[in-house]
mmCIF file of all heavy atoms in Angstrom:
data_model
loop_
_atom_site.group_PDB
_atom_site.id
_atom_site.type_symbol
_atom_site.label_atom_id
_atom_site.label_comp_id
_atom_site.label_asym_id
_atom_site.label_seq_id
_atom_site.Cartn_x
_atom_site.Cartn_y
_atom_site.Cartn_z
ATOM 1 N N SER A 9 35.388 -9.014 -29.239
ATOM 2 C CA SER A 9 34.910 -10.292 -28.690
ATOM 3 C C SER A 9 35.637 -10.627 -27.403
ATOM 4 O O SER A 9 36.777 -10.250 -27.214
ATOM 5 C CB SER A 9 35.143 -11.365 -29.742
ATOM 6 O OG SER A 9 34.968 -12.655 -29.179
ATOM 7 N N CYS A 10 34.969 -11.390 -26.589
ATOM 8 C CA CYS A 10 35.604 -11.875 -25.364
ATOM 9 C C CYS A 10 36.732 -12.863 -25.676
ATOM 10 O O CYS A 10 37.553 -13.171 -24.835
ATOM 11 C CB CYS A 10 34.577 -12.557 -24.457
ATOM 12 S SG CYS A 10 33.844 -14.085 -25.162
ATOM 13 N N THR A 11 36.788 -13.341 -26.936
ATOM 14 C CA THR A 11 37.844 -14.265 -27.324
ATOM 15 C C THR A 11 39.223 -13.625 -27.245
ATOM 16 O O THR A 11 40.229 -14.345 -27.226
ATOM 17 C CB THR A 11 37.618 -14.821 -28.718
ATOM 18 O OG1 THR A 11 37.569 -13.743 -29.658
ATOM 19 C CG2 THR A 11 36.337 -15.638 -28.808
ATOM 20 N N VAL A 12 39.273 -12.293 -27.192
ATOM 21 C CA VAL A 12 40.581 -11.640 -27.059
ATOM 22 C C VAL A 12 41.277 -12.021 -25.760
ATOM 23 O O VAL A 12 42.508 -11.936 -25.623
ATOM 24 C CB VAL A 12 40.468 -10.101 -27.155
ATOM 25 C CG1 VAL A 12 39.924 -9.690 -28.510
ATOM 26 C CG2 VAL A 12 39.666 -9.517 -26.034
ATOM 27 N N TYR A 13 40.501 -12.459 -24.751
ATOM 28 C CA TYR A 13 41.059 -12.807 -23.461
ATOM 29 C C TYR A 13 41.615 -14.234 -23.392
ATOM 30 O O TYR A 13 42.258 -14.613 -22.407
ATOM 31 C CB TYR A 13 40.009 -12.627 -22.376
ATOM 32 C CG TYR A 13 39.532 -11.188 -22.200
ATOM 33 C CD1 TYR A 13 38.217 -10.812 -22.453
ATOM 34 C CD2 TYR A 13 40.428 -10.198 -21.733
ATOM 35 C CE1 TYR A 13 37.802 -9.506 -22.276
ATOM 36 C CE2 TYR A 13 39.997 -8.892 -21.560
ATOM 37 C CZ TYR A 13 38.679 -8.567 -21.838
ATOM 38 O OH TYR A 13 38.258 -7.251 -21.668
ATOM 39 N N GLY A 14 41.364 -15.027 -24.465
ATOM 40 C CA GLY A 14 41.794 -16.422 -24.450
ATOM 41 C C GLY A 14 41.129 -17.167 -23.299
ATOM 42 O O GLY A 14 39.943 -16.992 -23.042
ATOM 43 N N ASN A 15 41.866 -18.039 -22.634
ATOM 44 C CA ASN A 15 41.378 -18.712 -21.419
ATOM 45 C C ASN A 15 41.790 -17.865 -20.210
ATOM 46 O O ASN A 15 42.925 -17.993 -19.746
ATOM 47 C CB ASN A 15 41.968 -20.114 -21.332
ATOM 48 C CG ASN A 15 40.963 -21.196 -21.751
ATOM 49 O OD1 ASN A 15 39.795 -21.154 -21.359
ATOM 50 N ND2 ASN A 15 41.435 -22.126 -22.563
ATOM 51 N N PRO A 16 40.910 -16.994 -19.731
ATOM 52 C CA PRO A 16 41.333 -16.071 -18.659
ATOM 53 C C PRO A 16 41.604 -16.799 -17.357
ATOM 54 O O PRO A 16 41.016 -17.818 -17.032
ATOM 55 C CB PRO A 16 40.101 -15.151 -18.539
ATOM 56 C CG PRO A 16 38.947 -15.964 -19.014
ATOM 57 C CD PRO A 16 39.484 -16.836 -20.099
ATOM 58 N N SER A 17 42.546 -16.226 -16.607
ATOM 59 C CA SER A 17 42.918 -16.829 -15.335
ATOM 60 C C SER A 17 41.992 -16.459 -14.191
ATOM 61 O O SER A 17 41.924 -17.154 -13.142
ATOM 62 C CB SER A 17 44.358 -16.450 -14.982
ATOM 63 O OG SER A 17 44.484 -15.040 -14.909
ATOM 64 N N THR A 18 41.255 -15.368 -14.318
ATOM 65 C CA THR A 18 40.364 -14.871 -13.274
ATOM 66 C C THR A 18 38.995 -14.546 -13.881
ATOM 67 O O THR A 18 38.900 -13.928 -14.911
ATOM 68 C CB THR A 18 40.917 -13.617 -12.611
ATOM 69 O OG1 THR A 18 42.263 -13.870 -12.090
ATOM 70 C CG2 THR A 18 40.032 -13.133 -11.454
ATOM 71 N N LEU A 19 37.950 -14.953 -13.156
ATOM 72 C CA LEU A 19 36.577 -14.682 -13.596
ATOM 73 C C LEU A 19 35.801 -13.989 -12.460
ATOM 74 O O LEU A 19 36.070 -14.233 -11.285
ATOM 75 C CB LEU A 19 35.848 -16.006 -13.921
ATOM 76 C CG LEU A 19 36.350 -16.738 -15.164
ATOM 77 C CD1 LEU A 19 35.690 -18.101 -15.258
ATOM 78 C CD2 LEU A 19 36.143 -15.953 -16.419
ATOM 79 N N PRO A 20 34.870 -13.067 -12.807
ATOM 80 C CA PRO A 20 34.549 -12.625 -14.136
ATOM 81 C C PRO A 20 35.636 -11.720 -14.737
ATOM 82 O O PRO A 20 36.435 -11.161 -13.995
ATOM 83 C CB PRO A 20 33.257 -11.856 -13.949
ATOM 84 C CG PRO A 20 33.318 -11.346 -12.533
ATOM 85 C CD PRO A 20 34.017 -12.430 -11.755
ATOM 86 N N VAL A 21 35.647 -11.626 -16.054
ATOM 87 C CA VAL A 21 36.701 -10.921 -16.768
ATOM 88 C C VAL A 21 36.458 -9.411 -16.708
ATOM 89 O O VAL A 21 35.372 -8.949 -17.059
ATOM 90 C CB VAL A 21 36.789 -11.386 -18.222
ATOM 91 C CG1 VAL A 21 37.890 -10.656 -18.968
ATOM 92 C CG2 VAL A 21 37.020 -12.872 -18.285
ATOM 93 N N THR A 22 37.460 -8.637 -16.359
ATOM 94 C CA THR A 22 37.424 -7.181 -16.459
ATOM 95 C C THR A 22 38.209 -6.711 -17.670
ATOM 96 O O THR A 22 38.975 -7.491 -18.276
ATOM 97 C CB THR A 22 37.998 -6.528 -15.202
ATOM 98 O OG1 THR A 22 39.408 -6.747 -15.171
ATOM 99 C CG2 THR A 22 37.370 -7.070 -13.922
ATOM 100 N N GLU A 23 38.060 -5.458 -18.012
ATOM 101 C CA GLU A 23 38.781 -4.890 -19.180
ATOM 102 C C GLU A 23 40.249 -4.850 -18.968
ATOM 103 O O GLU A 23 41.043 -4.715 -19.909
ATOM 104 C CB GLU A 23 38.246 -3.494 -19.499
ATOM 105 C CG GLU A 23 36.838 -3.466 -20.043
ATOM 106 C CD GLU A 23 35.743 -3.498 -18.951
ATOM 107 O OE1 GLU A 23 36.118 -3.615 -17.762
ATOM 108 O OE2 GLU A 23 34.580 -3.432 -19.320
ATOM 109 N N GLU A 24 40.689 -4.912 -17.702
ATOM 110 C CA GLU A 24 42.133 -4.887 -17.398
ATOM 111 C C GLU A 24 42.809 -6.260 -17.525
ATOM 112 O O GLU A 24 43.997 -6.370 -17.426
ATOM 113 C CB GLU A 24 42.358 -4.354 -15.980
ATOM 114 C CG GLU A 24 42.108 -2.850 -15.838
ATOM 115 C CD GLU A 24 40.650 -2.484 -15.946
ATOM 116 O OE1 GLU A 24 39.824 -3.248 -15.408
ATOM 117 O OE2 GLU A 24 40.340 -1.471 -16.593
ATOM 118 N N ALA A 25 42.013 -7.303 -17.771
ATOM 119 C CA ALA A 25 42.566 -8.648 -17.883
ATOM 120 C C ALA A 25 43.510 -8.713 -19.092
ATOM 121 O O ALA A 25 43.207 -8.128 -20.162
ATOM 122 C CB ALA A 25 41.460 -9.662 -18.061
ATOM 123 N N PRO A 26 44.668 -9.315 -18.949
ATOM 124 C CA PRO A 26 45.594 -9.382 -20.066
ATOM 125 C C PRO A 26 45.084 -10.303 -21.191
ATOM 126 O O PRO A 26 44.308 -11.225 -20.914
ATOM 127 C CB PRO A 26 46.881 -9.970 -19.428
ATOM 128 C CG PRO A 26 46.362 -10.791 -18.278
ATOM 129 C CD PRO A 26 45.157 -10.026 -17.752
ATOM 130 N N PHE A 27 45.467 -10.031 -22.401
ATOM 131 C CA PHE A 27 45.146 -10.901 -23.490
ATOM 132 C C PHE A 27 46.022 -12.174 -23.361
ATOM 133 O O PHE A 27 47.235 -12.099 -23.415
ATOM 134 C CB PHE A 27 45.460 -10.247 -24.855
ATOM 135 C CG PHE A 27 44.433 -9.181 -25.250
ATOM 136 C CD1 PHE A 27 43.456 -8.750 -24.375
ATOM 137 C CD2 PHE A 27 44.491 -8.639 -26.494
ATOM 138 C CE1 PHE A 27 42.542 -7.754 -24.767
ATOM 139 C CE2 PHE A 27 43.581 -7.649 -26.919
ATOM 140 C CZ PHE A 27 42.620 -7.220 -26.021
ATOM 141 N N MET A 28 45.386 -13.295 -23.229
ATOM 142 C CA MET A 28 46.057 -14.577 -23.216
ATOM 143 C C MET A 28 46.149 -15.131 -24.615
ATOM 144 O O MET A 28 45.455 -14.608 -25.525
ATOM 145 C CB MET A 28 45.355 -15.544 -22.278
ATOM 146 C CG MET A 28 45.137 -15.064 -20.853
ATOM 147 S SD MET A 28 46.701 -14.813 -19.987
ATOM 148 C CE MET A 28 47.142 -16.487 -19.661
ATOM 149 N N PRO A 29 46.981 -16.128 -24.877
ATOM 150 C CA PRO A 29 47.010 -16.704 -26.248
ATOM 151 C C PRO A 29 45.621 -17.055 -26.765
ATOM 152 O O PRO A 29 44.836 -17.672 -26.047
ATOM 153 C CB PRO A 29 47.916 -17.948 -26.067
ATOM 154 C CG PRO A 29 48.775 -17.622 -24.900
ATOM 155 C CD PRO A 29 47.920 -16.800 -23.969
ATOM 156 N N ALA A 30 45.321 -16.630 -27.945
ATOM 157 C CA ALA A 30 43.989 -16.886 -28.506
ATOM 158 C C ALA A 30 43.784 -18.362 -28.726
ATOM 159 O O ALA A 30 44.700 -19.089 -29.081
ATOM 160 C CB ALA A 30 43.825 -16.146 -29.813
ATOM 161 N N GLU A 31 42.556 -18.821 -28.511
ATOM 162 C CA GLU A 31 42.213 -20.230 -28.629
ATOM 163 C C GLU A 31 41.841 -20.587 -30.062
ATOM 164 O O GLU A 31 41.630 -21.760 -30.378
ATOM 165 C CB GLU A 31 41.075 -20.612 -27.697
ATOM 166 C CG GLU A 31 41.424 -20.542 -26.224
ATOM 167 C CD GLU A 31 42.461 -21.583 -25.836
ATOM 168 O OE1 GLU A 31 42.215 -22.788 -26.068
ATOM 169 O OE2 GLU A 31 43.530 -21.196 -25.327
ATOM 170 N N SER A 32 41.773 -19.610 -30.966
ATOM 171 C CA SER A 32 41.384 -19.869 -32.337
ATOM 172 C C SER A 32 41.922 -18.735 -33.245
ATOM 173 O O SER A 32 42.169 -17.630 -32.765
ATOM 174 C CB SER A 32 39.864 -19.937 -32.497
ATOM 175 O OG SER A 32 39.285 -18.668 -32.253
ATOM 176 N N PRO A 33 42.063 -18.995 -34.534
ATOM 177 C CA PRO A 33 42.421 -17.902 -35.447
ATOM 178 C C PRO A 33 41.400 -16.786 -35.398
ATOM 179 O O PRO A 33 41.810 -15.604 -35.561
ATOM 180 C CB PRO A 33 42.442 -18.615 -36.814
ATOM 181 C CG PRO A 33 42.846 -20.018 -36.499
ATOM 182 C CD PRO A 33 42.113 -20.317 -35.196
ATOM 183 N N TYR A 34 40.137 -17.096 -35.228
ATOM 184 C CA TYR A 34 39.136 -16.035 -35.128
ATOM 185 C C TYR A 34 39.497 -15.087 -33.950
ATOM 186 O O TYR A 34 39.526 -13.859 -34.116
ATOM 187 C CB TYR A 34 37.738 -16.639 -34.874
ATOM 188 C CG TYR A 34 36.736 -15.661 -34.351
ATOM 189 C CD1 TYR A 34 36.194 -14.659 -35.166
ATOM 190 C CD2 TYR A 34 36.328 -15.692 -32.995
ATOM 191 C CE1 TYR A 34 35.263 -13.750 -34.651
ATOM 192 C CE2 TYR A 34 35.407 -14.772 -32.505
ATOM 193 C CZ TYR A 34 34.901 -13.829 -33.360
ATOM 194 O OH TYR A 34 33.990 -12.906 -32.855
ATOM 195 N N GLY A 35 39.750 -15.645 -32.787
ATOM 196 C CA GLY A 35 40.119 -14.841 -31.642
ATOM 197 C C GLY A 35 41.379 -14.039 -31.901
ATOM 198 O O GLY A 35 41.491 -12.895 -31.470
ATOM 199 N N ARG A 36 42.354 -14.645 -32.601
ATOM 200 C CA ARG A 36 43.593 -13.913 -32.897
ATOM 201 C C ARG A 36 43.345 -12.733 -33.792
ATOM 202 O O ARG A 36 43.951 -11.662 -33.639
ATOM 203 C CB ARG A 36 44.601 -14.890 -33.506
ATOM 204 C CG ARG A 36 46.020 -14.303 -33.593
ATOM 205 C CD ARG A 36 47.031 -15.379 -33.951
ATOM 206 N NE ARG A 36 47.150 -16.372 -32.864
ATOM 207 C CZ ARG A 36 46.755 -17.663 -32.965
ATOM 208 N NH1 ARG A 36 46.219 -18.089 -34.056
ATOM 209 N NH2 ARG A 36 46.890 -18.469 -31.914
ATOM 210 N N THR A 37 42.423 -12.874 -34.751
ATOM 211 C CA THR A 37 42.132 -11.712 -35.627
ATOM 212 C C THR A 37 41.527 -10.578 -34.805
ATOM 213 O O THR A 37 41.788 -9.382 -35.090
ATOM 214 C CB THR A 37 41.186 -12.082 -36.776
ATOM 215 O OG1 THR A 37 39.891 -12.420 -36.294
ATOM 216 C CG2 THR A 37 41.728 -13.213 -37.628
ATOM 217 N N LYS A 38 40.722 -10.878 -33.819
ATOM 218 C CA LYS A 38 40.153 -9.819 -32.979
ATOM 219 C C LYS A 38 41.259 -9.140 -32.164
ATOM 220 O O LYS A 38 41.259 -7.883 -32.000
ATOM 221 C CB LYS A 38 39.107 -10.404 -32.028
ATOM 222 C CG LYS A 38 37.860 -10.886 -32.705
ATOM 223 C CD LYS A 38 37.071 -9.768 -33.399
ATOM 224 C CE LYS A 38 35.735 -10.223 -33.920
ATOM 225 N NZ LYS A 38 34.973 -9.169 -34.561
ATOM 226 N N GLN A 39 42.208 -9.905 -31.664
ATOM 227 C CA GLN A 39 43.348 -9.292 -30.932
ATOM 228 C C GLN A 39 44.144 -8.374 -31.853
ATOM 229 O O GLN A 39 44.527 -7.267 -31.474
ATOM 230 C CB GLN A 39 44.237 -10.395 -30.401
ATOM 231 C CG GLN A 39 43.627 -11.201 -29.255
ATOM 232 C CD GLN A 39 44.540 -12.332 -28.793
ATOM 233 O OE1 GLN A 39 45.411 -12.815 -29.526
ATOM 234 N NE2 GLN A 39 44.356 -12.794 -27.581
ATOM 235 N N ILE A 40 44.423 -8.847 -33.091
ATOM 236 C CA ILE A 40 45.206 -8.033 -34.021
ATOM 237 C C ILE A 40 44.440 -6.774 -34.404
ATOM 238 O O ILE A 40 45.023 -5.676 -34.518
ATOM 239 C CB ILE A 40 45.574 -8.852 -35.267
ATOM 240 C CG1 ILE A 40 46.476 -10.001 -34.894
ATOM 241 C CG2 ILE A 40 46.241 -7.963 -36.319
ATOM 242 C CD1 ILE A 40 46.706 -11.027 -35.999
#
C-alpha cells in the first residue's frame, strides 16, 4: 500500500521515497 510512505515529503511518490511514520496501525502492518 501507499500507506507505507506515511505523509511523504515529496510528490509524486517514487519507490525510493523513505518510509515515514505510519499514519495508522494498518499502514504500520504493511511496513512490517
Side-chain angles (χ1 to χ4, degrees):
S9 168
C10 65
T11 58
V12 298
Y13 296 115
N15 258 315
S17 57
T18 303
L19 293 173
V21 180
T22 69
E23 292 82 359
E24 287 70 39
F27 286 7
M28 304 297 285
E31 293 294 305
S32 67
Y34 163 73
R36 192 168 293 112
T37 67
K38 292 294 187 181
Q39 291 177 336
I40 296 170

